[in-house]
Amino acid sequence: MIPREFYARNTVLVARELIGAILIRSIDGRVIRSRIVETEAYREDDPASHSFRGPTDRCRVMFGPPGVAYVYRSYGIHHCLNVVTEPEGTGCAVLIRAVEPMEAFEYLWSRRFPQTRYDANRIREISNGPGKLTEALGITVGEFNGVDLDSPPLEITRSPDPDLQLVESDVRIGISRGRDARWRFYDSASEYVSRKPGR
DNA sequence: AAGGCGATTGCCT
DNA sequence: GGCAATCGCCTTT
């Protein structure tokens, strides 16, 4: 588990340092570990952030204690997972945009594509996007919004051998304001990154 | 009260 | 490449 003080720091630093950390989900009697390979930072004084106009019913947990999950519904359909950062009272979080599962590939495939036979050539599609990883791992607003990420059934731990040499930064995806900040971080060696620059 | 848009995805042409 | 799905929040009446 990662101490709360790790999250109670500058959100951009936390977003960078979460690349390579391990997300552990316990579900259906399984313990499934995944490497975090893509994140984005959202700060309170950031027009792209849900917290920019202050706490609402949706984004209130962003203003709460760090290390807690902020889960919101995107486009009325998907769920997206964040970790709250900076000291309590500030509205900041890191969006988890992609993970690379370490096990349970066929189980995760069946959660994402229940009607389609397992296809190893398309395995990255199980979790190469923020709405995809939450579907694969069964992470919803109702179950996880406001829940501390320090113990099962959903937990983040540091990687045993973090390699931050390969972490790159880029502008964030899907926003119209705050476009200049290069607050997206990803592991350039991972096939699970949702999008790499230059296209 | 009503309309538009979004930290997205998948299917269609 | 376009576009629908669908809901919370913002802006405008």
Side-chain angles (χ1 to χ4, degrees), chain A residues 73-151:
Chain A
R73 195 178 270 275
S74 177
Y75 289 87
I77 304 170
H78 310 289
H79 298 259
C80 294
L81 171 67
N82 300 251
V83 192
V84 176
T85 56
E86 315 238 2
E88 184 166 359
T90 59
C92 306
V94 171
L95 171 67
I96 310 296
R97 281 196 57 90
V99 301
E100 183 171 312
M102 301 165 69
E103 54 212 340
F105 294 93
E106 299 200 22
Y107 169 82
L108 297 171
W109 178 277
S110 71
R111 288 191 55 90
R112 285 270 293 133
F113 310 110
Q115 309 301 328
T116 306
R117 212 178 79 236
Y118 180 76
D119 181 351
N121 295 319
R122 297 174 52 200
I123 191 62
R124 74 195 68 174
E125 295 176 32
I126 60 181
S127 57
N128 64 344
K132 298 176 185 179
L133 72 92
T134 55
E135 182 174 47
L137 295 172
I139 296 168
T140 61
V141 175
E143 190 174 356
F144 287 108
N145 190 39
V147 173
D148 213 324
L149 289 172
D150 68 343
S151 59

Side-chain angles (χ1 to χ4, degrees), chain A residues 7-43:
Chain A
Y7 298 106
R9 297 180 300 140
N10 181 290
T11 306
V12 177
L13 290 180
V14 175
R16 173 182 282 281
E17 293 176 26
L18 278 176
I19 300 298
I22 309 298
L23 180 67
I24 308 175
R25 169 68 162 130
S26 303
I27 183 171
D28 289 347
R30 302 164 183 270
V31 178
I32 304 172
R33 292 167 296 170
S34 307
R35 287 184 59 243
I36 295 172
V37 297
E38 182 178 352
T39 61
E40 284 179 357
Y42 288 89
R43 306 190 64 193

